[in-house]
């Protein structure tokens, strides 16, 4: 699964880790995150993330 980087703060969403503090289980693909999920580091929405190269 692809990792995604927040273009605002540099936070990396790694699907292998999920976002336990945000209630997202490990193994959750970025595409499967809820539409209202926000970056745990800076609070912006999914639209501010891009696929890591």
């Amino acid at each position: 699964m692809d990792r995604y980087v927040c273009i605002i703060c540099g936070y990396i969403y790694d699907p292998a880790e999920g976002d336990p503090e945000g209630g997202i289980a490990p193994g959750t693909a970025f595409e499967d995150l809820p539409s209202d999920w926000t970056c745990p580091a800076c609070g912006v929405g999914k639209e501010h993330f891009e696929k890591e190269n």
Side-chain angles (χ1 to χ4, degrees), residues 35-51:
S35 59
D36 62 349
W37 180 83
T38 57
C39 176
C42 71
V44 298
K46 289 174 63 175
E47 68 275 10
H48 296 286
F49 279 74
E50 56 187 34
K51 190 185 296 188

Side-chain angles (χ1 to χ4, degrees), residues 1-50:
M1 284 189 275
D2 294 316
R3 294 174 6 143
Y4 281 75
V5 180
C6 177
I7 60 173
I8 305 299
C9 73
Y11 170 83
I12 297 173
Y13 176 76
D14 184 346
E17 296 177 11
D19 176 18
E21 291 182 16
I24 306 299
T28 303
F30 185 82
E31 296 83 4
D32 295 332
L33 291 172
S35 59
D36 62 349
W37 180 83
T38 57
C39 176
C42 71
V44 298
K46 289 174 63 175
E47 68 275 10
H48 296 286
F49 279 74
E50 56 187 34

